[in-house]
Amino acid sequence: MLLTNTFNANPIKLESLGVLEYFEEINAKGVEIARQASKGRALIFGDISSTGKFLKPMGPIDFEDAVNAYKRQAEVLYNSGVDGFIVETISDIKELKAAVLGIRAVTSDLPLIAHMTFEENSLSVTGTSVKIFATVFEDLDCDVVGINCTLGPDRMLKVFRELSETSTKPLSVEPNAGKPIYSGNRLYYKMDPESFAVYAEDYVDVGVNIIGGCCGTSPEHIRVLRKMIGNRRPVGRDTKFVQALASRTIYKPTNTFVIIGERINPASKKRFQNEIVEGDFTRISNLAKEQEKEGSMAIDINLGIERLLNEGHFRKVIRELDRISSIPLSLDIQMNRHLEVALREYPGRALINSARVTPKSLERKIELLKRYGGMLVLLAMGKDIPKSSRGRVDKILEGVRYLEDNGISRDRIFADPLVLSLGAKNDPAITLETIKLLSGHGIKTTMGLSNLSFGLPDRSVINGAFLSQAIGVGLTSAIMNSKDTFVMNSLKGALYLRGEGLEDRSTIGKYDDPLVEVLLKGDTEELKRLVDEKLKEYDPLTISQEILGKAMEEIGDLYSNGAIYLPHLLLASETSQPVFDYLNSLTPEKRAYKGRVLLATVEGDIHDIGKKIVGTVLKSGGYEVIDIGKDVPTEEIVNAVKVHKPDIVGLSAMMTTTVGKVEEVSKSIKEQHIKVIVIAGGASMSRSLSEEFGCDGYARNASEALELCNNIMERIASSEAAGSDK
Amino acid sequence: MKSEVFIPEKSDIMPSKKLFLYRAGFKGRQIEMDDVMKENINSIYLHGLRIARPKLFYKTFRIDEVPEQVIPGIFEGTKRITIFVSTLGYEIDEEIERLFEEGKVLKANLLDAWGSEAVEALNERFDAKLRARNGKGTMRFSPGYGDVDIRVNFDILDLLGVVEVVSDRKTGILRPRKSTTCLIGWYDRDV
């Protein structure tokens, strides 16, 4: 894939450079040159990037002006015959959205790749996380999402992996050739092609589909990159996309209970209404911040009086809330033209509140959801509200089916079972039953809680009690007053009874035992800290054998079962080693060890890596290990056995030309009646050969060696116990 | 006449990450690893690439110039044999040893695996270069496999006059450890 040299050729950028008059020529020539250079061997993608200015509210450019600029550039590139588009090096998610909408206004047929650029902390300079980028662009009409620039391949990998774990779209990546270096007034990159390409396969392993290079890379970088990729094909990904709401900077997954603050609603508040009409959104900004502090995860925006408002009001309120980095929005906007303005302007993934189950209402919402993304509140009603819970459930199921048939998945929908005023003699049991039935269909639910107590005294008590009951039958979200501490406490209690909290459940560790987690991460300091904690409660020997020892045993089991690999086992072993040594130093007697093992590579053989690995794993399994080296003559091994008096001697031989020495050592030990168990291993050894050589045991690898030693020591212990009984 | 020397480019000794990881013990189809492990793997890959001093010595002989015990049975019908000795130098061995001494078992194991695959990558590269030039040949063959005893390594080094790599006559083990001897037979007389 070859990119046109039109990265900076959007009209806004060219105008700022004073060369706008060449806009069409630059873009058309860019395509022509790329086409010539490719000689028909590559796809030509029109390269598009930033206008160089931030969009409102962060900068001076209107969203619609940016959309228009990108549309103009896409038109020229399209008419010049590109095979697709790539939008690169964008740090403002709103600008990327403008580019996608601009390009899609020209054509929806050609493939479109959308990239953002991130710092090492996985945030763009405007505060958008990789997760938010993936979530927002999951719905938008682009074919591939990716990351480029800012970081070299080493530091970008972790950031890119977050994208591969979050997005279900095909992925692309273009790292820089390392960090830029400033020398005088020149910027250059020093990562050589080989160092750059070493990471190529790591990207394949995490699912990249398209890979290339950004700043500082040369044709040589791409040549070596290609060599390293070889014939490897993209690996399949099993990404579990988490449905979430997001603002530019705040991500809220909907797999936990979602509290939607209800207080931005000027109904019956004349002064508030006047402020809105006059375009004063100070109160709204304050309410947004307050509700966030109170524990809301999203805020419902209901400006009421919509007929008195115009597009500008909706554009401005969205910008204001973006400016203060508000939590995600639930757009409670009745008029579709206003709703569309808000959705275009919003740089996040909003909840559209709401649609009725009527063809007209659903069709328009489907159109908006497809173009701008987001989630939807679906009311359990058509033209009228069904009286029974069954009727409401049927209505929702009808709507869900309709949405699913049109490409909106069930998990993007919150069904609203409808809460009607208790004061008007409505039966709340219908709402509860509806929630229960919908929950059985795997449909998320939300409701306007405060409607229940409208006009009644003791609203908190009524709302809190009802919310608890609703949570008990499966409610997953509520539009509610988060300032009401009684209701908020009722919510926490009800969730607690349901075995949940308000935290994101996706952050729970992979292993039950935190020591296993820390060992596999190779974090010796954290391990030491955890062990010091344990020392307040247990003695060093218990920790060494029962706690740390057990964690290492679990790691051994994970290795044996193929859940982890040898390098993990080694990392865990070398991580545990200093901590075992520390615990042993606190143990007065030598009884901390399970047994003593003497290891040697036989004469003539200089291979001892396998043996050293065995030594490490045995040490972390609680053994005292004496390694007398490689190429050790038989007599020297036998003498060492006499001096050190180990319980077990382990012999290693790698070569067919040296394996005979194992027999020599084994026989020599037996002939001299030295009381020690002889075991053997190594590439040229086998179980049958070890038996033939008179050895007492054989292990294929380090994990088996540990298991073998454990069995031997248990046997010795039980025979000693039997001996003392007599 | 002494053998000729090929000094490879860095990219000639870059093994596929997949093969390197397999050699290091990642045997599964789907390999999950965290950042610590990735960091270890990539830093060792680059470290190996930095410290290796790869060299390859080669010479093509008429079949009757090569001692009989060196020629594999499957080379029957070939007219000439190219014999080459590849090595990464002593620096890798010393580094593996040093890492073990410091208790960095994981890194030592990774570097050992990298070295084994890097020397293979070098062999592959040179093999392809020879074939592009010489046409039809046998598979690449190394002593210790099939019917050629590993101890002929000593004779091969002698034949090529290579002193940078040494072999123990009794065991055939080569030093530096990341070294190999390879043979390719050619059917064309004019090679």
Side-chain angles (χ1 to χ4, degrees), chain A residues 95-330:
Chain A
E95 188 172 23
L96 188 61
K97 181 175 170 181
V100 168
L101 293 181
I103 294 165
R104 285 304 182 218
V106 175
T107 172
S108 53
D109 296 338
L110 292 187
L112 169 52
I113 303 170
H115 279 194
M116 276 192 78
T117 188
F118 294 94
E119 304 285 328
E120 208 171 338
N121 60 5
S122 299
L123 295 176
S124 74
V125 292
T126 54
T128 300
S129 67
V130 171
K131 220 177 215 180
I132 290 174
F133 166 49
T135 304
V136 172
F137 276 75
E138 186 76 7
D139 300 333
L140 298 187
D141 187 10
C142 64
D143 304 286
V144 178
V145 291
I147 298 174
N148 74 293
C149 210
T150 308
L151 303 170
D154 45 352
R155 309 208 178 271
M156 191 182 281
L157 185 62
K158 184 168 158 269
V159 182
F160 182 79
R161 195 171 53 216
E162 280 184 45
L163 184 66
S164 86
E165 286 168 355
T166 321
S167 175
T168 65
K169 294 206 170 191
L171 304 173
S172 65
V173 73
E174 299 165 310
N176 286 347
K179 273 186 178 171
I181 295 164
Y182 295 94
S183 169
N185 57 358
R186 197 173 143 254
L187 180 76
Y188 70 98
Y189 296 81
K190 71 167 191 182
M191 188 178 252
D192 60 40
E194 292 78 18
S195 305
F196 179 78
V198 160
Y199 299 93
E201 286 180 89
D202 296 344
Y203 286 92
V204 176
D205 289 339
V206 294
V208 76
N209 302 88
I210 300 169
I211 186 165
C214 197
C215 301
T217 57
S218 65
E220 183 61 11
H221 285 83
I222 303 302
R223 186 189 70 77
V224 185
L225 182 80
R226 233 187 123 162
K227 177 185 177 287
M228 288 302 289
I229 298 269
N231 295 323
R232 292 199 61 185
R233 302 188 63 77
V235 299
R237 285 179 294 138
D238 186 24
T239 307
K240 307 260 185 302
F241 180 75
V242 176
Q243 291 294 343
L245 300 173
S247 67
R248 179 196 289 275
T249 52
I250 298 172
Y251 172 88
K252 294 290 179 187
T254 60
N255 59 1
T256 54
F257 194 90
V258 181
I259 302 168
I260 303 169
E262 66 174 12
R263 300 217 313 281
I264 299 181
N265 186 340
S268 314
K269 294 171 186 155
K270 193 70 191 156
R271 191 182 295 170
F272 193 2
Q273 288 175 3
N274 287 340
E275 287 165 8
I276 292 170
V277 172
E278 283 162 20
D280 175 3
F281 297 120
T282 316
R283 188 196 297 234
I284 289 182
S285 294
N286 291 339
L287 279 170
K289 279 292 164 204
E290 277 174 27
Q291 291 181 98
E292 181 183 356
K293 277 188 202 144
E294 292 155 10
S296 287
M297 294 151 186
I299 40 172
D300 197 58
I301 306 294
N302 183 343
L303 298 189
I305 53 166
E306 287 186 24
R307 294 197 181 281
L308 301 178
L309 307 177
N310 59 38
E311 287 182 6
H313 287 93
F314 289 89
R315 197 165 282 136
K316 189 173 175 193
V317 75
I318 296 294
R319 281 183 197 157
E320 282 302 302
L321 290 169
D322 183 20
R323 193 179 57 75
I324 61 157
S325 290
S326 158
I327 50 177
L329 304 184
S330 157

Side-chain angles (χ1 to χ4, degrees), chain A residues 594-631:
Chain A
K594 280 185 191 166
R596 182 181 294 167
V597 183
L598 186 138
L599 296 175
T601 303
V602 294
E603 188 177 2
D605 210 324
I606 56 164
H607 298 89
D608 70 342
I609 289 193
K611 181 204 64 185
K612 281 180 170 163
I613 288 171
V614 168
T616 305
V617 171
L618 288 178
K619 275 186 199 168
S620 65
Y623 286 87
E624 184 187 4
V625 175
I626 299 160
D627 185 343
I628 59 168
K630 60 193 172 192
D631 192 11

Side-chain angles (χ1 to χ4, degrees), chain A residues 566-689:
Chain A
L566 178 67
H568 296 115
L569 181 66
L570 295 181
L571 180 63
S573 297
E574 73 178 48
T575 305
S576 69
Q577 200 50 62
V579 181
F580 271 122
D581 290 345
Y582 166 65
L583 288 167
N584 285 340
S585 73
L586 302 175
T587 311
E589 301 156 46
K590 279 281 175 190
R591 66 195 172 104
Y593 293 114
K594 280 185 191 166
R596 182 181 294 167
V597 183
L598 186 138
L599 296 175
T601 303
V602 294
E603 188 177 2
D605 210 324
I606 56 164
H607 298 89
D608 70 342
I609 289 193
K611 181 204 64 185
K612 281 180 170 163
I613 288 171
V614 168
T616 305
V617 171
L618 288 178
K619 275 186 199 168
S620 65
Y623 286 87
E624 184 187 4
V625 175
I626 299 160
D627 185 343
I628 59 168
K630 60 193 172 192
D631 192 11
V632 190
T634 299
E635 202 186 328
E636 225 175 275
I637 298 176
V638 175
N639 283 340
V641 172
K642 285 177 187 165
V643 172
H644 295 291
K645 296 186 173 45
D647 300 293
I648 299 164
V649 58
L651 303 172
S652 170
M654 170 88 173
M655 310 288 290
T656 48
T657 47
T658 59
V659 77
K661 288 287 174 186
V662 172
E663 184 176 24
E664 200 177 288
V665 178
S666 171
K667 284 199 170 151
S668 179
I669 285 172
K670 305 283 173 194
E671 279 164 14
Q672 295 183 50
H673 304 290
I674 302 169
K675 198 183 161 200
V676 68
I677 302 288
V678 181
I679 62 173
S684 292
M685 283 300 299
S686 65
R687 193 171 300 284
S688 58
L689 210 53

